[in-house]
Amino acid sequence: MCGACSSGYPVIGEIPWLFPEPRQALAEWRGRLGFLTQHLASEATAMRASLAEGALEAGTRRRLEHVARANEDQIERLRQLLTPLGLDQASIAETTHQGLGTRLPTEQGLTNYYVNLHRDWSWGEEENQAALNELRTLLGNLDGLGNVLVQGAGAGRLAYDLHAASDATLTVAMDFNPLLLFAARELFAGRPVELYEFPIAPRSIEDHAVLRRLAAPAPARPGLELVAADALQPPFVDAAFDTVVTPWFVDIIGEPFARVAARVNLALKPGGRWINFGSLAFSRAAHAERLSLEEVSAYMPKAGFAGFESREASIPYMRSPASRHARVESTISWVANKVGPPAETPRVRVLPDWLMQPDKPVPRTPAFEMQAISSRVHAFLLALINGERSMRDMARVLVEQRLMPAQEAEAQVRLFLARLHEASESQ
Ligand SMILES: C[S@@+](CC[C@H](N)C(=O)[O-])C[C@H]1O[C@@H](n2cnc3c(N)ncnc32)[C@H](O)[C@@H]1O
């Protein structure tokens, strides 16, 4: 309970759930993870349908059977791990999730955080050691870390290794993804977890889905704690930590660097240390926010930090033994000491009233108006597909309805249908 406002915060699956809107966050993650199990199920169904059609090469049959079985088994494993979220209460259909734009928590790609689980706990020590060594080299030694906050701790391995290798009194591993947190909880307790890895570029048929045994070298020593929270709305009082670690975090959080630095500053006690590790890949940020190391270094005094020291190194990254895909990352690590307050105070993200209170009217903003128009056009075009109309027929209707000038209609209908076809093929 919050003593000041009496708001309650649950403990879910033994992990304090410290989001400002705990129920909203629970509904969001339940929906996302429910969508993930639905997605795995519909993929398995599609594979089984291909198998039933017959006329497949023996290897292809073996692969589809293997991956379909793995998907079905993974669903059970996820359900079990995520029991505290109440996945059985997620009853929204997969198509509705697609319509609502729900994002899968394990989307394939280079920024897939699910794979971090396997990198952290099942591929061997190479990458984990490389990360810890970088921090050890940067700092000279791992003494005097005190109370440590690891922001965006993911599957938790760096937090675990730092806690084990240092004399940290308390290490708080914070993330907002309950799948990673629940797995980390088991691993920190010395209980192995079995989950499938689905590599990006599998080496063999069996490598398309690999059942991995995730395990920590030993149970974590006391003082390593997990917290589910949003780093943009952190649940800690100011100056609670002696050390804040941001591993592979500052460039993915989606906030201007000045605000990220200010939040780190506020979390630290005077004289506390900010340790950063990872990349500076701000490619999706606004142009002025795509900082290079020189700009980061120059900004530090304004953020209230002194003694900035940095290192660069090439380390192996996301090298699954089952995948032909692997990276080498040129990482940047830095350490800096808090010497004063930040020039800019990070703003709390304030959501509008109509999003906070279910009975407030939702305003029709220009952006919503635009979305509504484009969705209407989209729905209108989809409704024209009745199994009888040709592209020309559809174009004629659009012209009659004054939705498009005659000279463009046919080309636009074709473009729309081509995109639709492409999307359905890729699904
Ligand atoms: C690139 S991953 C790095 C994970 C981990 N530090 C590592 O090195 O493997 C970024 C992590 O930040 C988490 N994250 C992203 N935005 C967050 C937010 N607003 N609050 C809390 N965690 C967040 C993600 O769930 C993910 O685990």
Side-chain angles (χ1 to χ4, degrees):
M1 298 290 285
C2 164
C5 69
S6 303
S7 300
Y9 298 87
V11 174
I12 298 183
E14 296 167 39
I15 298 175
W17 189 260
L18 301 179
F19 294 92
E21 295 291 326
R23 278 198 208 181
Q24 182 65 33
L26 180 60
E28 224 170 85
W29 281 102
R30 186 186 283 153
R32 269 190 207 163
L33 293 162
F35 183 31
L36 171 62
T37 54
Q38 287 170 348
H39 176 72
L40 286 167
S42 62
E43 291 277 289
T45 306
M47 286 177 236
R48 298 230 178 265
S50 302
L51 282 163
E53 278 168 19
L56 293 171
E57 296 298 327
T60 309
R61 294 195 75 80
R62 186 151 69 86
R63 176 168 55 75
L64 291 180
E65 273 159 12
H66 172 64
V67 182
R69 245 193 330 270
N71 275 22
E72 288 152 0
D73 194 17
Q74 177 84 339
I75 293 171
E76 285 318 307
R77 290 172 186 281
L78 289 176
R79 276 195 197 290
Q80 195 147 9
L81 184 65
L82 300 169
T83 306
L85 279 191
L87 275 201
D88 43 342
Q89 293 164 44
S91 53
I92 301 175
E94 191 183 5
T95 41
T96 312
H97 274 304
Q98 275 164 1
L100 292 173
T102 307
R103 285 211 300 260
L104 281 175
T106 58
E107 263 152 17
Q108 276 289 14
L110 299 179
T111 52
N112 171 356
Y113 304 144
Y114 171 72
V115 84
N116 292 20
L117 256 175
H118 297 289
R119 188 274 315 270
D120 282 10
W121 305 105
S122 74
W123 295 344
E125 297 307 305
E126 188 191 20
E127 293 187 32
N128 300 322
Q129 280 298 329
L132 186 66
N133 284 345
E134 266 309 290
L135 297 193
R136 209 193 291 273
T137 312
L138 173 76
L139 301 172
N141 60 60
L142 297 175
D143 296 339
L145 296 188
N147 284 347
V148 182
L149 170 64
V150 183
Q151 289 199 342
R157 182 60 191 261
L158 188 65
Y160 168 96
D161 281 340
L162 254 188
H163 190 70
S166 73
D167 58 358
T169 10
L170 169 75
T171 300
V172 177
M174 180 175 100
D175 205 281
F176 65 4
N177 184 335
L179 171 56
L180 303 181
L181 290 169
F182 289 176
R185 177 202 61 209
E186 294 301 291
L187 298 157
F188 289 0
R191 295 188 291 263
V193 172
E194 286 192 342
L195 285 173
Y196 284 85
E197 180 197 343
F198 299 94
I200 296 180
R203 289 183 183 276
S204 68
I205 287 180
E206 275 64 35
D207 286 341
H208 277 258
V210 186
L211 183 60
R212 296 269 185 218
R213 183 175 186 275
L214 313 166
R221 92 176 155 81
L224 178 59
E225 300 289 342
L226 289 158
V227 164
D230 183 350
L232 298 179
Q233 293 166 292
F236 306 107
V237 290
D238 287 354
F241 295 97
D242 302 285
T243 306
V244 172
V245 186
T246 47
W248 301 97
F249 184 74
V250 294
D251 50 352
I252 62 99
I253 185 70
E255 266 203 318
F257 184 78
R259 259 185 251 162
V260 177
R263 277 187 212 289
V264 173
N265 180 309
L266 294 183
L268 283 168
K269 294 177 187 166
R273 283 188 291 180
W274 177 7
I275 300 171
N276 181 70
F277 171 65
S279 58
L280 290 181
F282 294 105
S283 59
R284 278 175 296 175
H287 290 288
E289 296 298 337
R290 298 179 190 180
L291 304 192
S292 56
L293 183 58
E294 299 96 303
E295 292 163 282
V296 165
S297 161
Y299 186 75
M300 284 292 159
K302 261 192 165 170
F305 290 95
F308 178 84
E309 277 176 40
S310 65
R311 268 181 61 77
E312 291 180 61
S314 281
I315 65 160
Y317 190 72
M318 295 300 170
R319 282 195 185 165
S320 165
S323 180
R324 296 177 190 281
H325 176 93
R327 290 155 72 181
V328 172
E329 281 272 339
S330 174
T331 57
I332 294 172
S333 21
W334 72 67
V335 57
N337 296 301
K338 170 170 170 170
V339 289
E344 181 181 322
T345 313
R347 265 181 291 150
V348 175
R349 193 168 57 133
V350 181
L351 292 173
D353 278 356
W354 51 267
L355 254 179
M356 300 299 295
Q357 295 169 30
D359 51 354
K360 287 259 169 203
V362 179
R364 195 166 175 92
T365 64
F368 288 175
E369 176 71 20
M370 186 94 129
Q371 276 287 341
I373 293 171
S374 70
S375 304
R376 265 208 304 277
V377 174
H378 196 98
F380 186 75
L381 280 166
L382 285 173
L384 287 180
I385 306 173
N386 63 357
E388 290 173 8
R389 284 193 188 93
S390 66
M391 288 196 290
R392 185 151 299 155
D393 296 333
M394 291 169 72
R396 199 174 305 122
V397 179
L398 288 179
V399 175
E400 281 163 15
Q401 294 287 321
R402 296 171 185 276
L403 284 169
M404 240 172 243
Q407 66 275 21
E408 285 176 47
E410 224 172 278
Q412 288 303 325
V413 168
R414 190 177 184 287
L415 254 180
F416 172 78
L417 291 172
R419 272 200 299 269
L420 213 58
H421 173 68
E422 207 174 291
S424 65
E425 293 280 286
S426 71
Q427 266 175 22

